[in-house]
Amino acid sequence: MTDNVSMTELQLATRNHGMPVEALHYPITPVGLHYLLIHYDIPVIDPAIWRLRLDGLVRKPIQYSLEELRRLSSTTRAVTMECAGNGRALLEPRPASQPWLLEAVGTGEWTGVPLATVLSEAGVAYGAVDVVFTGADRGIEGGTEQNYQRSLPAQQAMSTDAILAYELNGQPLPVQHGFPLRLVVPGWYGMTNVKWLNRITVLSEQFTGYQNEVAYRFRQDASETGEPVSRMVPRSLLIPPGIPDFFSRVRTLRAGICEVVGRAWSGFAPVVAIEVSVDGGRNWHEAELDESGTELGRWQRWHFVWNAMPGTYQLCCRATDGAGYRQPVTPEWNLGGYANNAVQQVPVTVTE
Amino acid sequence: MTDNVSMTELQLATRNHGMPVEALHYPITPVGLHYLLIHYDIPVIDPAIWRLRLDGLVRKPIQYSLEELRRLSSTTRAVTMECAGNGRALLEPRPASQPWLLEAVGTGEWTGVPLATVLSEAGVAYGAVDVVFTGADRGIEGGTEQNYQRSLPAQQAMSTDAILAYELNGQPLPVQHGFPLRLVVPGWYGMTNVKWLNRITVLSEQFTGYQNEVAYRFRQDASETGEPVSRMVPRSLLIPPGIPDFFSRVRTLRAGICEVVGRAWSGFAPVVAIEVSVDGGRNWHEAELDESGTELGRWQRWHFVWNAMPGTYQLCCRATDGAGYRQPVTPEWNLGGYANNAVQQVPVTVTE
């Protein structure tokens, strides 16, 4: 790992929020512990004048006030959300962006209107290719002034279990999570879940906006077109046992039986196997999945009983999902630093 | 500014939370945007078995359940809380600890029992010197395993307007802010406000714990005893105008009249004057304080009307408090990187 994190990266790290990894304890991440990546600034929105507009290739352009959305049938779902850049700062060389280690994750209980409901009210017309979601947040990226925008393929948008969420954990959506409305697409990386949403536009052609065409793509160099970043690859994390040193965060644990607890998720299929290593990934032992993962895109608890003898250890865990994807021990590099799901490494010293 | 932030510093920056500076917009910081410094891990506490114990040099050792505390007369107060290390990463050389730039602040509306109530119920005995506050969070610091502990002088503890808070912004105290109980001392830096509080001990001698004797002291080198860090020195921050570039955070603003808005605070006395500079601190202009600051330890809104002409600018603001302290333009260094209240520098490009 290179040690020359720049002040530019640091000023992103100090304003964006990771989930302290011990918060894996909570099945639903408390508000204020869920990760946050704010591309530009948090906009100030007056809910009384805010509207959600649906336009473009629809039979009936339509707009909703927040009250009108709240009168539609609602749904509530626990969704694990992870930043596509989680793990970026563990890559070498480190791509220049928000320098996440492993903490860009959280699970929220989102309540809102199914996306399919409003798309069907507006009536997506024949020939729809992409559906663009526009947020109120505005900034400059890649030299271009823009509102944050992301698209989904029209078929995906219509058939998906996506939610237009106006509540998080039973409370009005916090400003930092997109008040008054946020798109939540279970299983997809965080950039999909457009915050401060105020417009949904159906296009008859492919969307060419910055976040789809330039930013979130798997590329080895800038000249490549690359594949789009979409669903979360499997990852597991464990709650570091013992107690930390304040500055180094290195852990000390008393010898004895230790229940190592963690959570695992994948956007492709539920996780079907977890293994634990105490020697940095050389030898692996089967751990116990406590939840079967009936809901795609929600993390699953697991545990492993470790008889910790005095010594120094490197704890790791790795998930395999039902689609056959498994976490690697060493990272795979790409230009944007996306989807690095190499296993977590937790150094622990066990004392008498 | 040195650019070699270490991975050790980065792993603190990614788990601790700064307040994105545009959240200065809110007089009361929403939960989840208030800054957070977690020394060790967030402990998991069962409120049903949790107790607050008062012991040591008291006439009647006493303990309270959370329900018993909630039955006592409560008080609510907006308190601005700032980490003593705010501004640390702008020092050169940079002290090795949590690398805050300027975002380690927030204002919460705290509800709880006055500290004076429970001290008077227990009856502080003659000869009391210090009162020690112990949290449930445990870790290693300076080579010593410890629970987080801080003391106040007994006179200070008895006469202060400190609160034992069980609510923040009208909600049960979030786990990350010290659930179920936190000490809140208006005007003092964050380290005073012990989270996950479970014990208050009155001593007949001076407390010699790590956080009082070693960590939070103004020193030029480790051999010095140094003065203790206590109250917040004055600081003002402004909401960066215009829109940001995602990576560099550099601001672009359209020419015209721009209302620059910010907040200012001091733990010594209310802020009495704010000045703004658009040239990095060479020339200063008087800004308007919108709040008189009747409550010590609560930030005050201010604004400045700027006729922004095309060009490049360096926006700064500086506060002077009623005790006569004023923010410096250049930092004053100390070993721990505490209380660096040198003025904020916000580069802005104004376009036609």
Side-chain angles (χ1 to χ4, degrees):
Chain A
M1 290 190 293
T2 52
D3 250 22
N4 59 341
V5 177
S6 69
M7 293 304 276
T8 307
E9 290 168 288
L10 181 63
Q11 72 180 347
L12 292 177
T14 55
R15 60 175 272 115
N16 291 311
H17 294 175
M19 184 191 77
V21 75
E22 68 270 25
L24 288 166
H25 171 79
Y26 305 97
I28 301 295
T29 310
V31 169
L33 287 178
H34 195 289
Y35 98 91
L36 273 185
L37 182 79
I38 311 290
H39 270 251
Y40 309 130
D41 288 354
I42 300 170
V44 175
I45 294 172
D46 178 352
I49 60 170
W50 172 91
R51 293 291 181 278
L52 174 68
R53 264 194 296 161
L54 273 88
D55 59 10
L57 200 62
V58 292
R59 280 190 286 277
K60 183 183 70 172
I62 193 167
Q63 63 174 28
Y64 297 92
S65 68
L66 188 55
E67 275 184 25
E68 286 164 343
L69 284 173
R70 281 184 167 276
R71 279 199 291 266
L72 300 175
S73 282
S74 74
T75 183
T76 295
R77 180 164 170 174
V79 176
T80 297
M81 198 181 287
E82 183 182 16
C83 186
N86 202 15
R88 176 182 291 127
L90 299 168
L91 293 171
E92 225 172 318
R94 189 178 60 253
S97 186
Q98 163 68 34
W100 293 123
L101 297 165
L102 291 169
E103 58 293 303
V105 68
T107 295
E109 198 164 57
W110 304 92
T111 297
V113 180
L115 171 61
T117 302
V118 301
L119 286 178
S120 124
E121 287 207 351
V124 173
Y126 179 78
V129 173
D130 274 352
V131 180
V132 182
F133 301 86
T134 303
D137 46 331
R138 192 165 180 80
I140 295 176
E141 223 169 332
T144 304
E145 187 173 327
Q146 58 193 282
N147 280 48
Y148 188 86
Q149 291 188 307
R150 281 277 306 179
S151 71
L152 286 172
Q155 278 309 322
Q156 177 78 37
M158 286 184 287
S159 66
T160 183
D161 44 8
I163 299 169
L164 301 177
Y166 48 70
E167 282 182 10
L168 172 60
N169 297 4
Q171 305 265 336
L173 200 58
V175 289
Q176 66 270 27
H177 282 290
F179 178 85
L181 197 71
R182 177 177 200 172
L183 175 66
V184 175
V185 184
W188 286 57
Y189 278 117
M191 77 286 167
T192 317
N193 305 288
V194 176
K195 298 189 280 287
W196 311 292
L197 181 69
N198 60 21
R199 192 172 175 187
I200 299 176
T201 308
V202 180
L203 298 187
S204 60
E205 63 228 11
Q206 205 173 314
F207 177 61
T208 58
Y210 183 85
Q211 305 299 344
N212 283 70
E213 288 299 297
V214 183
Y216 289 100
R217 299 192 81 90
F218 292 108
R219 299 182 293 176
Q220 292 298 309
D221 67 71
S223 66
E224 273 181 60
T225 304
E227 287 300 307
V229 177
S230 59
R231 292 181 177 275
M232 302 183 290
V233 293
R235 189 193 296 281
S236 55
L237 292 174
L238 62 87
I239 301 176
I243 58 169
D245 176 79
F246 165 65
F247 184 58
S248 71
R249 303 290 309 164
V250 168
R251 318 289 306 189
T252 302
L253 175 70
R254 298 246 189 280
I257 297 293
C258 170
E259 191 187 44
V260 179
V261 173
R263 299 191 190 267
W265 62 95
S266 165
F268 288 95
V271 169
V272 293
I274 295 285
E275 296 155 286
V276 166
S277 167
V278 300
D279 58 8
R282 277 188 297 280
N283 296 286
W284 292 96
H285 315 279
E286 202 178 324
E288 187 112 16
L289 265 174
D290 302 319
E291 292 168 316
S292 63
T294 45
E295 272 190 312
L296 182 66
R298 177 186 185 154
W299 61 23
Q300 298 158 243
R301 190 185 189 274
W302 58 265
H303 74 275
F304 175 76
V305 177
W306 178 34
N307 186 4
M309 312 281 275
T312 59
Y313 299 89
Q314 192 80 8
L315 267 58
C316 304
C317 49
R318 69 175 173 195
T320 303
D321 71 17
Y325 296 112
R326 192 171 76 174
Q327 292 183 258
V329 174
T330 52
E332 287 160 39
W333 191 90
N334 61 74
L335 192 66
Y338 299 121
N340 171 18
N341 66 338
V343 299
Q344 178 193 19
Q345 299 273 354
V346 181
V348 177
T349 298
V350 178
T351 60
E352 293 284 355
Chain B
M1 290 191 291
T2 53
D3 250 24
N4 58 341
V5 176
S6 69
M7 294 304 276
T8 308
E9 290 168 287
L10 181 62
Q11 72 178 347
L12 292 177
T14 55
R15 62 177 269 113
N16 291 310
H17 294 176
M19 183 191 78
V21 73
E22 68 269 25
L24 288 166
H25 171 80
Y26 305 97
I28 301 296
T29 310
V31 169
L33 287 178
H34 194 289
Y35 99 91
L36 275 183
L37 182 80
I38 311 290
H39 270 250
Y40 310 131
D41 288 353
I42 300 170
V44 175
I45 294 172
D46 178 351
I49 60 170
W50 173 92
R51 293 292 182 275
L52 174 68
R53 264 193 298 161
L54 272 88
D55 59 9
L57 199 64
V58 292
R59 279 190 289 273
K60 184 184 68 171
I62 192 168
Q63 63 174 26
Y64 298 92
S65 68
L66 188 55
E67 273 183 28
E68 286 164 343
L69 284 173
R70 282 183 166 276
R71 279 201 290 269
L72 300 175
S73 283
S74 74
T75 183
T76 296
R77 181 164 169 173
V79 176
T80 298
M81 199 181 287
E82 184 182 15
C83 185
N86 203 14
R88 175 182 291 127
L90 299 169
L91 292 171
E92 226 173 319
R94 189 181 56 254
S97 185
Q98 163 68 35
W100 294 122
L101 296 165
L102 292 169
E103 59 292 302
V105 68
T107 295
E109 197 164 59
W110 304 91
T111 297
V113 179
L115 171 61
T117 302
V118 300
L119 286 179
S120 124
E121 286 205 352
V124 173
Y126 179 80
V129 172
D130 274 351
V131 179
V132 182
F133 301 87
T134 303
D137 46 332
R138 193 165 179 80
I140 296 176
E141 222 170 331
T144 305
E145 186 174 327
Q146 57 192 283
N147 280 48
Y148 188 85
Q149 292 188 305
R150 281 276 307 180
S151 71
L152 286 172
Q155 278 307 323
Q156 177 78 36
M158 288 185 286
S159 65
T160 184
D161 43 9
I163 300 169
L164 302 177
Y166 48 70
E167 284 183 8
L168 172 59
N169 297 3
Q171 306 264 337
L173 200 59
V175 288
Q176 66 269 27
H177 282 290
F179 178 86
L181 198 70
R182 175 178 202 172
L183 175 66
V184 175
V185 184
W188 286 58
Y189 278 116
M191 76 285 169
T192 316
N193 305 288
V194 176
K195 298 189 281 286
W196 311 293
L197 182 69
N198 60 20
R199 192 172 175 189
I200 299 176
T201 308
V202 180
L203 299 186
S204 61
E205 63 227 9
Q206 205 174 313
F207 176 62
T208 58
Y210 183 83
Q211 305 298 345
N212 283 70
E213 287 299 297
V214 183
Y216 288 101
R217 301 192 81 91
F218 292 108
R219 298 182 294 176
Q220 292 298 309
D221 68 72
S223 67
E224 274 180 59
T225 305
E227 287 299 308
V229 177
S230 60
R231 292 180 176 274
M232 302 184 290
V233 292
R235 188 191 298 278
S236 54
L237 292 173
L238 61 87
I239 300 175
I243 59 169
D245 176 80
F246 166 65
F247 184 58
S248 71
R249 302 291 309 163
V250 169
R251 317 290 304 189
T252 302
L253 176 69
R254 298 246 189 282
I257 297 293
C258 171
E259 191 187 44
V260 179
V261 172
R263 299 191 189 267
W265 63 93
S266 165
F268 288 95
V271 169
V272 294
I274 294 285
E275 295 154 285
V276 166
S277 167
V278 299
D279 60 7
R282 277 188 297 281
N283 297 287
W284 292 95
H285 315 279
E286 202 178 323
E288 188 113 13
L289 265 174
D290 302 319
E291 292 169 314
S292 62
T294 45
E295 272 190 312
L296 182 65
R298 175 183 186 156
W299 61 23
Q300 298 157 244
R301 188 186 190 274
W302 58 265
H303 74 275
F304 176 75
V305 177
W306 179 34
N307 186 3
M309 313 280 275
T312 58
Y313 300 89
Q314 192 80 8
L315 268 57
C316 304
C317 51
R318 69 176 173 194
T320 303
D321 72 17
Y325 296 112
R326 192 171 76 175
Q327 292 182 257
V329 174
T330 53
E332 288 161 39
W333 191 89
N334 60 75
L335 191 66
Y338 299 122
N340 171 18
N341 66 337
V343 298
Q344 179 193 18
Q345 299 273 353
V346 181
V348 177
T349 298
V350 179
T351 60
E352 292 286 354

